[in-house]
Amino acid sequence: LLLGLIPTSSLLPLVSSLSTARTTATSLSSSALSCSSPSNDNIVSVWDNVVPKSTCQSLHEEAIKLGLGHFIFQRRTDDDDCNENGEYNVIERVLDSILTQLEEQEKGNNKKEAKTKASKYVEYWTRREWRHIEAHADVDENLAKQQDQQQQKDAFRYPKQGHVLYLKVGTNVHGPTCIFPHITTGGDLKKHKNNDDDSDKVNLVTVPAVEGRLLRFQGNSLHAVPRPTDLWTLSFVKGSPKFEPEEEWGRSVILFNTWGDEPPLDVPYDKREGKSDGKDNVNTKCRPHEEWKSAFFLSPSSSSLLDNINEDCNADDTTNYDSVVEEEEVRNIRTKIWLLGNQRRRNHLDWNIRLLGSESLREALYQDHVVSKVTLDQSPY
């Protein structure tokens, strides 16, 4: 959206005067939650150490060959080596391995039960650059376009779960994936529809891009990637972003959604001739689930991050709140969340939603590794 109008991080944000507000920001280190056992039905889950470095490199190379289009594959059963459209490629094999580990962990290693209740179809695509992605929830894109063309107002079809697998991250990249739990459209940020917290509060989870990390969230959750990092707090836009060299500005990820018995409309299989199946020289399996390190999880019943810490965890391993300000004077920062899609998709007339943040929002956005939860407030402006 208006990439030529993206602000530079050197610009001063438009800041309101000091006012009395309640702002809460929490952060937990990956070690703080490594002894937790998050469920697959959590609102947001983050794991580190999911894929080895060598496999991340192989996936990055395959992503370059694959391009930017969306593809699907049907989950294999038992030891099937072939999709109904040919051999599974390297990416498909790794993604199936990840989903299998999640399902087996959830079902107590009962492979038969896990497979029978697994998501049947996986939609995936790749991105190798850090670009600004406006807030949106993933939908069956071609079905939505068909509905728009036929002037239908049917409900959107959402995936079961959304995922981001981070492969390579440049040294200058501070491009977290930002998830708004319980929020589906931009309009919900104002209406607070489906928000289970205080009626005038909006929760935001920021997940820094870290090599080998896996993010999993509910398929209908609003999410975004800001660029510049503090884009939402800047008053206007100027300049062009850098994408090279890759070692500094690259952000290589595989994004994938799981679907049930019906795939998203008209998304193709990978039918490339001579595609790599990874059988010879590539490890196409993720690490065993017991080697994953839980970096964060937000359960449906949790009202705060501290609710997500397993009671068996050692208190010394828990990072305290980065900042907790209760009924104190804090500097409110005008925050503008840019939205993706047409008016029906946005569920809002304008292209952005205005909220109020604080300095803790910037701190969360600029984190290198730590997942954070930030609370935003309704804006009077």
Side-chain angles (χ1 to χ4, degrees):
L1 173 66
L2 301 178
L3 291 179
L5 295 179
I6 293 179
T8 61
S9 58
S10 61
L11 296 175
L12 290 176
L14 185 60
V15 180
S16 69
S17 58
L18 288 175
S19 61
T20 300
R22 180 183 181 275
T23 303
T24 305
T26 60
S27 299
L28 295 178
S29 66
S30 58
S31 62
L33 293 174
S34 59
C35 47
S36 305
S37 298
S39 167
N40 287 350
D41 63 358
N42 284 324
I43 307 301
V44 181
S45 299
V46 183
W47 295 270
D48 289 328
N49 201 47
V50 173
V51 177
K53 186 178 182 67
S54 60
T55 303
C56 284
Q57 179 62 34
S58 298
L59 291 172
H60 174 69
E61 293 170 0
E62 183 68 12
I64 294 173
K65 300 174 185 176
L66 191 65
L68 302 179
H70 286 227
F71 296 91
I72 60 166
F73 70 93
Q74 185 175 340
R75 299 284 303 284
R76 53 184 174 178
T77 57
D78 299 323
D79 295 321
D80 290 346
D81 243 1
C82 288
N83 217 338
E84 63 181 55
N85 282 271
E87 291 280 344
Y88 290 94
N89 65 34
V90 172
I91 292 175
E92 293 166 353
R93 290 175 183 275
V94 174
L95 299 189
D96 183 71
S97 171
I98 289 172
L99 293 171
T100 299
Q101 286 293 314
L102 288 169
E103 290 158 359
E104 291 181 357
Q105 186 271 337
E106 183 71 8
K107 305 301 179 184
N109 293 317
N110 186 331
K111 293 185 178 182
K112 183 176 180 180
E113 183 180 4
K115 281 297 182 184
T116 57
K117 295 189 177 181
S119 298
K120 186 174 182 180
Y121 291 97
V122 180
E123 175 191 19
Y124 66 97
W125 63 104
T126 69
R127 295 292 181 265
R128 299 184 302 278
E129 297 175 331
W130 176 24
R131 291 185 179 274
H132 172 54
I133 306 298
E134 296 90 349
H136 67 287
D138 292 342
V139 300
D140 187 329
E141 295 286 352
N142 291 320
L143 177 62
K145 291 176 183 177
Q146 185 181 93
Q147 291 171 342
D148 287 340
Q149 291 170 355
Q150 298 174 358
Q151 297 184 335
Q152 298 175 353
K153 295 184 179 179
D154 296 342
F156 290 108
R157 181 173 178 242
Y158 299 99
K160 297 174 66 176
Q161 299 281 352
H163 307 76
V164 183
L165 179 62
Y166 302 89
L167 306 179
K168 296 184 70 175
V169 183
T171 55
N172 291 333
V173 172
H174 289 90
T177 305
C178 301
I179 304 105
F180 296 89
H182 307 289
I183 298 291
T184 299
T185 70
D188 293 345
L189 289 170
K190 277 291 189 183
K191 299 173 185 176
H192 297 284
K193 182 180 178 182
N194 297 326
N195 192 22
D196 68 349
D197 210 340
D198 230 329
S199 60
D200 61 345
K201 306 290 182 182
V202 174
N203 288 327
L204 169 66
V205 176
T206 60
V207 183
V210 175
E211 181 178 309
R213 168 172 283 182
L214 174 68
L215 162 64
R216 179 181 175 98
F217 55 93
Q218 283 190 328
N220 64 347
S221 293
L222 194 74
H223 57 283
V225 179
R227 183 170 188 187
T229 307
D230 53 359
L231 167 66
W232 294 341
T233 68
L234 300 176
S235 58
F236 64 94
V237 179
K238 180 182 178 182
S240 300
K242 293 182 179 180
F243 297 105
E244 294 181 344
E246 180 182 89
E247 294 74 18
E248 295 181 15
W249 297 106
R251 185 183 184 272
S252 182
V253 297
I254 296 174
L255 307 105
F256 60 106
N257 293 328
T258 53
W259 299 84
D261 292 333
E262 183 180 347
L265 182 65
D266 294 338
V267 177
Y269 289 85
D270 177 14
K271 297 182 179 181
R272 293 174 298 155
E273 293 185 4
K275 61 186 177 185
S276 173
D277 58 19
K279 289 182 179 179
D280 298 329
N281 54 11
V282 178
N283 178 11
T284 58
K285 292 186 179 296
C286 66
R287 288 190 170 99
H289 191 276
E290 56 267 23
E291 295 181 15
W292 298 11
K293 296 180 180 179
S294 181
F296 176 90
F297 70 95
L298 183 64
S299 67
S301 60
S302 297
S303 59
S304 76
L305 252 177
L306 294 185
D307 293 339
N308 301 322
I309 303 176
N310 191 301
E311 292 180 357
D312 296 332
C313 286
N314 189 324
D316 293 337
D317 292 334
T318 302
T319 301
N320 292 327
Y321 286 98
D322 278 354
S323 62
V324 179
V325 184
E326 299 284 349
E327 300 301 336
E328 295 181 7
E329 286 194 303
V330 297
R331 186 174 296 277
N332 285 337
I333 299 177
R334 292 186 179 185
T335 303
K336 188 181 294 184
I337 309 297
W338 292 95
L339 307 175
L340 179 72
N342 60 19
Q343 186 174 336
R344 184 169 81 99
R345 181 83 169 266
R346 300 192 308 269
N347 189 27
H348 187 65
L349 182 62
D350 295 332
W351 290 94
N352 59 71
I353 290 285
R354 299 182 179 190
L355 301 170
L356 281 179
S358 70
E359 190 59 37
S360 61
L361 172 60
R362 278 206 199 89
E363 293 174 2
L365 292 170
Y366 275 100
Q367 287 284 350
D368 290 322
H369 192 278
V370 176
V371 181
S372 303
K373 179 184 172 188
V374 176
T375 301
L376 305 176
D377 292 297
Q378 282 288 297
S379 169
Y381 76 103

